[in-house]
Structures are given as structure tokens and as C-alpha cells.
């Protein structure tokens, strides 16, 4: 136990007592401030050109899965403005496409479609580009034929969830990527047991698990059955406390969002503690002060928006969904 945690236990004082985690009005106000901050960042040309796919997806998902009509309307207007700008730049983007950049543009195309824009010609260009590259060039490895290699330039968990999300969005956009999400899901077992908190790979393991939940829930469209992925739920619950101690808003937010998608009730003490932390640490500009890099700053805001906002879940997905099996082994 850290010294900070010990002091909290001794005093039995909530470190974030001033905010009500389950006040929809307060959370929505915080989300609107965050969305304004995210849009200001997205309008910076250098940032948008580097991360257009992820930024467009942030607006598109907020617009399509939020319960609040005001939030849907604002996110849709922001997203459509940025998506139209992206479409005007397509001739320049298309000429520069390669194996490292094409999959982010697949995400951008998917996001534009969610925002109600037509991208058929762009999709044709993307399919032609994807078809020119091998699976290994696009995904670091070929999940159809091998487990995640341990000698990659990135963490194996990062390579795994990059392959999973890429397969998901390529399937949605009918890209000629021969890998399916089921191929990638089968390879997670080779990365288990998950590393415990405090070890070097724990951070990326958490993100691998949250992205598994994203894909299973169609990125927040469908809430999963309370019986789905019990081991994943246990791992996420065990990881929230350490993320709060390290004061990591992006990790806390992704865990909260994923637990909600796994049908953990909003009144659960873990959800409430995570949301109290996120509300209490928002800065006056609407962000959370992550200045590590351009991606980290906007990704933290996006993650917290998703951790705080209420969803308009379409339907629960049965626990027996065969296309996304849960790994049999899980570390403590």
C-alpha cells in the first residue's frame, strides 16, 4: 500500500468529496466543457492531420451513443465540420497513404459514415491501398497464423489490441483485410496471465482489455450481459484502484466506461469513485492536463467524456455470443 493510500485509510476521508458522481447534470456539464476543449484541439491543423481518424471517431461515437440530446447535437455538429474538412483534404491524404497510415484513414471513413456523410470514393481508394500490403505490414503480425510475437517494437498487448480494432473497423468498411476479430481474439490467450498492477506491462494490458470490451459492445452501442466476460470484469475492477492511486484519468475513464458496458451499475462504489475523481480533477479549460504528447492530451479528454456521459444502449448482447469468446486463463 502506498503512503497516500495508507493516509486515506487512516482518515477514512473521501479525497474527492465535493462532487456527486451520479448527478447527471453535473456530469453533463463536465462533458460539455470537455467536448469544447476537444474540438479546440481538433481544429489545430497539426494535431488533426496527425490523428484525424481518432478525433473523428471521438465525435462520431459521442454523437451516436449519448443519451443526452444536447450532447448528441453538439458532437454531431463538431464532428461533421471536422469530417468535411477531412474530406476536402482527401486528395492530399490519399497520395501519402502507406501501411502505417491507411488503417487510421479506415477509422476516419467509418466515423464520417456514423456522422451521416457519404465516403464511397474514399472507401474505394482505401480498399485499393489496403490490398497492396501484407497482413504483417499492416498489423505487426498475422493473427491467423501466429500468436503475438515477443520481439516487436511495441508491447505485445498494444500490438494485439491494434490488430483487434483494425480488424473490427476494416470489417465495418468492407476492407480487404483477411483477418477477422475472431482470429485476433484467439491470440489473447498467449498473453495471459495478465501482469499485475505495478509491473511494466500492466498499463497496456488494461488497454487491451478495455478495447476487447469496446469491440464486443460495438463501441458503446450495446451493453453486454452481466454474465459476459466475468474474468475481464474482475481484472478491470482490480485495476481501478491502482489507476486512482497513480492519478491516471485516461486509465480510470477507460475502466469506468468498460465496466458500465459490462453492466456494472452506475451506483457501484467503484464507478462512483472513478467518476468522482474525474469530475474533481477537470481543469478550467475543460481538459485534464495530460501534456505528455499531443495524442495523450486529446485521448485523455476523449476517454473521460466516455467515462462520464450516459449512453443510449440499444440492447444487451447475450453472454453466449460466439464471435467474441473470453480467454480461459486470467492472471490474478
Amino acid at each position: 500500500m502506498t503512503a497516500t493510500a495508507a493516509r486515506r485509510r487512516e482518515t477514512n476521508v473521501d479525497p474527492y468529496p465535493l462532487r456527486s458522481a451520479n448527478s447527471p447534470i453535473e456530469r453533463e456539464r463536465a462533458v460539455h466543457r470537455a467536448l469544447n476543449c476537444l474540438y479546440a484541439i481538433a481544429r489545430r491543423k497539426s494535431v488533426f492531420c496527425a490523428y484525424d481518424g481518432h478525433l473523428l471517431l471521438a465525435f462520431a461515437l459521442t454523437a451516436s451513443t449519448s443519451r443526452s440530446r444536447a450532447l448528441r447535437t453538439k458532437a454531431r455538429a463538431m464532428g461533421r465540420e471536422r469530417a468535411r474538412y477531412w474530406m476536402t483534404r482527401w486528395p492530399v491524404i490519399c497520395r501519402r497513404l502507406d501501411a502505417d497510415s491507411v488503417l487510421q484513414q479506415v477509422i476516419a471513413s467509418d466515423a464520417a459514415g456514423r456522422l451521416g456523410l457519404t465516403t464511397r470514393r474514399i472507401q474505394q481508394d482505401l480498399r485499393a491501398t489496403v490490398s497492396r500490403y501484407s497482413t504483417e505490414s499492416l498489423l505487426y503480425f498475422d493473427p491467423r497464423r501466429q500468436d503475438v510475437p515477443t520481439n516487436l517494437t511495441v508491447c505485445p498487448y498494444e500490438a494485439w489490441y491494434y490488430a483487434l480494432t483494425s480488424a473490427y473497423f476494416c470489417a465495418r468498411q468492407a476492407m480487404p483485410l483477411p483477418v477477422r476479430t475472431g482470429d485476433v481474439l484467439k491470440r489473447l490467450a498467449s498473453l495471459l496471465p495478465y501482469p499485475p498492477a505495478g509491473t511494466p506491462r500492466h498499463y497496456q494490458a488494461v488497454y487491451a482489455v478495455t478495447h476487447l470490451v469496446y469491440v464486443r459492445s460495438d463501441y458503446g452501442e450495446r451493453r453486454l450481459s452481466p454474465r459476459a466476460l466475468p474474468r475481464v470484469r474482475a481484472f478491470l475492477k482490480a485495476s481501478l484502484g491502482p489507476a486512482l492511486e497513480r492519478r491516471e484519468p485516461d486509465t480510470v475513464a477507460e475502466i469506468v466506461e468498460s465496466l458500465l458496458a459490462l453492466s456494472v451499475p452506475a451506483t457501484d462504489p467503484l464507478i462512483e469513485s472513478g467518476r468522482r475523481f474525474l469530475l474533481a480533477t477537470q481543469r478550467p479549460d475543460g481538459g485534464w492536463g495530460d501534456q505528455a504528447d499531443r495524442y495523450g492530451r486529446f485521448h485523455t479528454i476523449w476517454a473521460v467524456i466516455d467515462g462520464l456521459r450516459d449512453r443510449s444502449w440499444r440492447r444487451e448482447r447475450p453472454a453466449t455470443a460466439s464471435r467474441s469468446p473470453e480467454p480461459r486463463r486470467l492472471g490474478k
Side-chain angles (χ1 to χ4, degrees):
M1 180 184 298
T2 66
T4 300
R7 286 194 298 272
R8 290 175 185 170
R9 173 170 291 186
E10 290 170 1
T11 59
N12 196 32
V13 173
D14 189 333
Y16 309 108
L18 302 178
R19 302 291 184 101
S20 172
N22 278 314
S23 167
I25 294 176
E26 188 164 7
R27 284 191 285 107
E28 184 162 345
R29 286 173 179 168
V31 171
H32 276 282
R33 291 195 299 271
L35 195 60
N36 291 338
C37 184
L38 184 64
Y39 185 54
I41 293 172
R43 287 181 62 83
R44 297 174 188 171
K45 184 175 180 180
S46 61
V47 177
F48 186 77
C49 291
Y51 305 110
D52 47 10
H54 294 89
L55 285 162
L56 290 178
L57 186 63
F59 293 116
L61 293 176
T62 304
S64 61
T65 65
S66 294
R67 183 183 299 174
S68 164
R69 181 176 180 179
L71 192 56
R72 292 197 308 269
T73 301
K74 175 185 280 191
R76 181 178 174 85
M78 292 174 171
R80 285 174 68 90
E81 185 278 324
R82 288 288 79 195
R84 289 192 178 101
Y85 173 69
W86 169 75
M87 294 171 73
T88 64
R89 293 188 63 251
W90 181 250
V92 175
I93 297 171
C94 188
R95 289 195 296 269
R96 299 174 180 174
L97 286 177
D98 57 21
D100 293 328
S101 62
V102 66
L103 294 181
Q104 182 172 183
Q105 299 308 312
V106 171
I107 294 175
S109 175
D110 182 76
R114 291 174 189 257
L115 290 164
L117 301 178
T118 301
T119 61
R120 292 191 185 92
R121 178 58 188 273
I122 292 175
Q123 289 175 7
Q124 292 174 3
D125 293 338
L126 288 170
R127 291 183 189 114
T129 303
V130 169
S131 67
R132 292 201 295 266
Y133 294 101
S134 68
T135 300
E136 291 87 346
S137 298
L138 294 167
L139 302 182
Y140 293 110
F141 72 108
D142 189 342
R144 296 171 303 169
R145 295 193 286 266
Q146 64 182 137
D147 290 332
V148 186
T150 58
N151 60 346
L152 299 174
T153 58
V154 298
C155 172
Y157 286 103
E158 184 177 357
W160 180 84
Y161 71 74
Y162 180 76
L164 180 68
T165 55
S166 297
Y168 172 83
F169 285 105
C170 281
R172 281 182 55 91
Q173 292 287 292
M175 295 294 141
L177 182 73
V179 173
R180 298 293 178 261
T181 56
D183 300 321
V184 186
L185 286 164
K186 289 187 294 186
R187 301 302 176 181
L188 181 58
S190 68
L191 300 177
L192 301 180
Y194 295 138
T199 57
R201 291 183 173 178
H202 178 258
Y203 181 87
Q204 292 296 345
V206 169
Y207 276 85
V209 167
T210 58
H211 284 73
L212 167 60
V213 175
Y214 296 162
V215 167
R216 278 289 305 269
S217 66
D218 285 331
Y219 276 78
E221 290 188 2
R222 298 172 176 84
R223 175 174 262 170
L224 302 175
S225 164
R227 298 182 300 279
L229 304 175
R231 299 177 184 87
V232 165
R233 184 186 293 105
F235 176 66
L236 289 173
K237 285 186 172 183
S239 298
L240 183 56
L244 285 168
E245 288 188 15
R246 293 191 299 268
R247 297 179 63 84
E248 296 174 345
D250 56 340
T251 310
V252 170
E254 289 215 4
I255 292 174
V256 167
E257 177 191 5
S258 297
L259 289 176
L260 290 168
L262 288 165
S263 291
V264 175
T267 54
D268 186 283
L270 284 173
I271 302 295
E272 290 188 331
S273 64
R275 282 179 158 176
R276 275 198 301 271
F277 165 75
L278 298 174
L279 287 169
T281 54
Q282 187 176 30
R283 297 196 172 192
D285 68 354
W288 276 262
D290 188 343
Q291 301 290 346
D293 53 50
R294 292 181 302 174
Y295 181 81
R297 183 159 190 259
F298 87 76
H299 180 269
T300 296
I301 298 169
W302 176 14
V304 177
I305 287 172
D306 286 344
L308 290 178
R309 65 188 175 92
D310 291 324
R311 304 296 181 102
S312 56
W313 306 104
R314 292 187 179 179
R315 62 178 174 80
E316 289 191 359
R317 172 164 290 165
T320 56
S322 60
R323 66 173 176 169
S324 303
E326 180 178 19
R328 293 180 180 273
R329 295 183 289 121
L330 185 75
K332 293 183 180 181

